[in-house]
Amino acid sequence: MRQVFRERECIHREEGAEGEFYNGAFYVQALQQLPIDQAMQVAGKVGSFFWADAPHILVWLCAACADDLQLTDTPRAITQVARRQA
Ligand SMILES: [Zn+2]
């Protein structure tokens, strides 16, 4: 089975913010650990996707968004993407 990763990103990427790709599953997990208001706020800044697809999603987050999600405390959430040059 071919695994196709899809990418989502926070709104700050266009502004040239520094960031990393995070594993979609960790992103969802982190969202679920936030109070709902805060989770909605963060999720609103990132392209949405079906949570069932999370294992196949890479989420690019700037440092501030990752911090909101406390993903900066979870180094293994960061995905080293061997980006294929098309
Ligand atoms: Zn951001």
Side-chain angles (χ1 to χ4, degrees):
M1 280 235 290
R2 201 162 66 102
Q3 273 219 339
V4 179
F5 281 95
R6 275 163 290 167
E7 295 176 5
R8 292 293 183 276
E9 61 195 32
C10 77
I11 56 173
H12 307 109
R13 194 177 192 186
E14 284 190 355
E15 298 164 10
E18 290 288 311
E20 306 267 11
F21 276 103
Y22 294 87
N23 181 299
F26 280 93
Y27 166 77
V28 168
Q29 204 175 66
L31 266 187
Q32 288 173 320
Q33 282 165 10
L34 291 178
I36 188 71
D37 295 0
Q38 211 181 327
M40 297 283 278
Q41 231 173 47
V42 176
K45 297 178 203 163
V46 180
S48 58
F49 57 86
F50 289 113
W51 284 12
D53 294 337
H56 310 292
I57 303 277
L58 297 173
V59 183
W60 188 98
L61 296 171
C62 72
C65 288
D67 203 48
D68 283 349
L69 283 164
Q70 288 162 23
L71 275 173
T72 44
D73 299 337
T74 314
R76 70 200 172 102
I78 297 177
T79 305
Q80 298 301 332
V81 190
R83 303 202 65 183
R84 283 186 203 98
Q85 307 294 327

